[in-house]
Amino acid sequence: MTTFIYHDIFMFMSLNAEESNENLLEQLKAVAESTRLRIIAALESCELTVTEICGVLDQTQPRVSRHLRLLTDAQLLRRHAEGTSAYYGLRHDSDLLRAVAPLIDRSSPLLQRDLARLDAVRAVRADRAAEYFAQVAEEWDQLREVHSPTSEVEAAMLAAVTTPFVDSILDIGTGTGRILEVFADRTARGLGVDSSRQMLNVARARLDDDRLNHCSVRQSDIYNLDVPDSTQAVVILHHVLHFLSDPASALEVAAQKLAPGGTLLVVDFAAHELERLRTDHAHSHLGFPDKDVATWCRSVGLNLARNAIQHFPPAPESGDNALAVTLWTATKPLNSQKPSRELETSR
Ligand SMILES: C[S@@+](CC[C@H](N)C(=O)[O-])C[C@H]1O[C@@H](n2cnc3c(N)ncnc32)[C@H](O)[C@@H]1O
């Protein structure tokens, strides 16, 4: 009897080993091709749609789709549909990708051309958002109410910061400065940063008030933020990530700015299918599933308890515009020394 059990276990282990070697072979074959290496290099910095990848590689859709399918089947890429588009990103839990990606020589002329075209794709996305905010700056405070159960979310954000009074708050993508106003009584210093001068003009008018004179705003880009690392007790990203081509990198920057023991608050739409928000309101992402933001937080060394994800159903009066909102609360460990994002685990 015992012999049979050992025999079964042995068979089971060898089958598992066979299977994992087969997977490894499939993955090795998938990366061993020049276009697919270029795709991996392009996707390292942000998720892209098929059309965008075709633009970056300067290749036709059928060719590119074939390569994408192969990489996805080999568990090297993840694909998620957003409305009528599908976004591709690297499966950051792949040991093989972790080993291969740094070996790709980006100085080759071919790669240099790809990366220049990738910059252009990202610039188009950023310009679209900047143009949108330049146009809507004056009416933003009404617009922001349309989709979001605002007062409930603001109350939950205040409650999520457990320290009654903190030294500093950084509101990234502050827009018209509403969140600085919400947190003004809870901090000695509030700083809002935003890339849009028009939004900041409105924010400055809002902050021109005695109660708010410890809060200020300045123009700065999220990906190149001129705020010293490890200095902020609270960092907030309120309805910013869905405008960004690379939300994971923005989150990494936010984590870097947090002081040890500090709190990160991320508020954004839950995943939705209102495709027209891309065209009408320059959204880059149709909200986010809980686990995406949670994974990005963990991958930059933040702690996120299961109950640190709160959901807010849409206000009943928002009708066709109804969108649920999520608040993610994460904290930086007191002994944190993590300098930058590790490859995050896949969805
Ligand atoms: C939807 S608004 C949110 C504003 C504010 N947090 C609020 O909830 O009212 C997004 C803001 O992010 C800013 N933004 C977008 N991309 C940015 C970037 N790369 N760097 C800095 N700010 C950016 C926009 O200018 C805009 O003001």
Side-chain angles (χ1 to χ4, degrees):
M1 174 72 175
T2 325
T3 324
F4 280 126
I5 291 173
Y6 280 134
H7 178 260
D8 286 354
I9 292 173
F10 177 75
M11 287 299 289
F12 177 72
M13 284 169 64
S14 359
L15 279 175
N16 266 357
E18 283 308 318
E19 202 177 308
S20 72
N21 284 341
E22 282 299 320
N23 288 345
L24 177 62
L25 274 176
E26 193 190 345
Q27 295 195 335
L28 286 168
K29 282 184 207 151
V31 295
E33 201 279 334
S34 78
T35 303
R36 295 199 282 273
L37 279 187
R38 290 165 65 195
I39 292 175
I40 292 170
L43 290 176
E44 248 211 315
S45 56
C46 63
E47 294 185 334
L48 296 167
T49 63
V50 186
T51 314
E52 287 169 335
I53 298 170
C54 292
V56 169
L57 303 180
D58 198 18
Q59 290 192 4
T60 60
Q61 182 136 350
R63 271 189 84 176
V64 170
S65 295
R66 193 167 49 79
H67 289 303
L68 289 173
R69 204 170 322 112
L70 232 140
L71 287 164
T72 311
D73 289 349
Q75 316 261 308
L76 294 169
L77 296 190
R78 56 187 158 72
R79 174 188 185 280
H80 68 105
E82 277 194 14
T84 53
S85 311
Y87 279 83
Y88 286 87
L90 298 186
R91 289 273 306 244
H92 291 291
D93 57 347
S94 157
D95 290 337
L96 187 71
L97 271 187
R98 230 189 279 261
V100 166
L103 299 177
I104 303 174
D105 189 345
R106 284 150 181 79
S107 66
S108 88
L110 198 59
L111 265 284
Q112 285 287 306
R113 280 198 293 276
D114 287 356
L115 297 180
R117 286 187 290 251
L118 176 63
D119 281 348
V121 166
R122 297 176 71 173
V124 168
R125 288 185 186 180
D127 284 353
R128 210 172 342 122
E131 212 174 286
Y132 170 76
F133 284 112
Q135 280 167 15
V136 302
E138 296 292 335
E139 45 175 331
W140 176 251
D141 285 340
Q142 287 90 49
L143 261 180
R144 73 198 289 286
E145 308 272 337
V146 172
H147 298 288
S148 182
T150 316
S151 50
E152 239 184 291
V153 174
E154 290 176 355
M157 291 170 75
L158 284 166
V161 177
T162 49
T163 315
F165 193 79
V166 297
D167 193 45
S168 51
I169 281 183
L170 172 65
D171 182 27
I172 302 180
T174 192
T176 56
R178 166 65 189 160
I179 297 299
L180 287 178
E181 185 179 37
V182 169
F183 275 87
D185 296 336
R186 299 277 303 272
T187 185
R189 270 172 304 126
L191 173 64
V193 291
D194 201 286
S195 53
S196 162
R197 272 189 293 118
Q198 289 82 355
M199 293 295 263
L200 290 176
N201 285 342
V202 182
R204 286 195 180 94
R206 183 198 292 277
L207 299 178
D208 186 11
D209 177 323
D210 283 350
R211 188 178 83 82
L212 301 173
N213 59 16
H214 58 300
C215 297
S216 60
V217 291
R218 65 173 183 242
Q219 192 176 21
S220 191
D221 188 87
I222 291 175
Y223 302 115
N224 192 16
L225 213 51
D226 58 346
V227 172
D229 286 354
S230 306
T231 53
Q232 305 295 313
V234 175
V235 175
I236 300 171
L237 282 160
H238 185 271
H239 285 303
V240 179
L241 293 186
H242 64 261
F243 285 102
L244 303 178
S245 59
D246 190 0
S249 293
L251 216 132
E252 180 179 10
V253 172
Q256 280 163 355
K257 303 307 164 194
L258 267 185
T263 304
L264 172 70
L265 302 178
V266 179
V267 173
D268 222 296
F269 294 123
H272 64 84
E273 293 186 352
L274 282 188
E275 182 69 27
R276 66 189 157 77
L277 293 187
R278 283 187 201 279
T279 38
D280 298 354
H281 295 281
H283 290 202
S284 270
H285 299 269
L286 300 184
F288 299 97
D290 290 357
K291 63 180 175 187
D292 283 15
V293 177
T295 301
W296 293 330
C297 286
R298 291 197 191 96
S299 72
V300 292
L302 302 181
N303 294 328
L304 202 136
R306 197 171 278 273
N307 63 2
I309 302 178
Q310 295 180 55
H311 299 118
F312 302 86
E317 64 273 16
S318 42
D320 283 353
N321 293 314
L323 289 180
V325 169
T326 310
L327 162 64
W328 291 262
T329 305
T331 52
K332 190 165 184 169
L334 280 170
N335 59 354
S336 167
Q337 289 172 352
K338 194 172 177 94
S340 64
R341 176 159 47 126
E342 268 179 9
L343 287 168
E344 70 260 35
T345 52
S346 84
R347 296 157 205 239

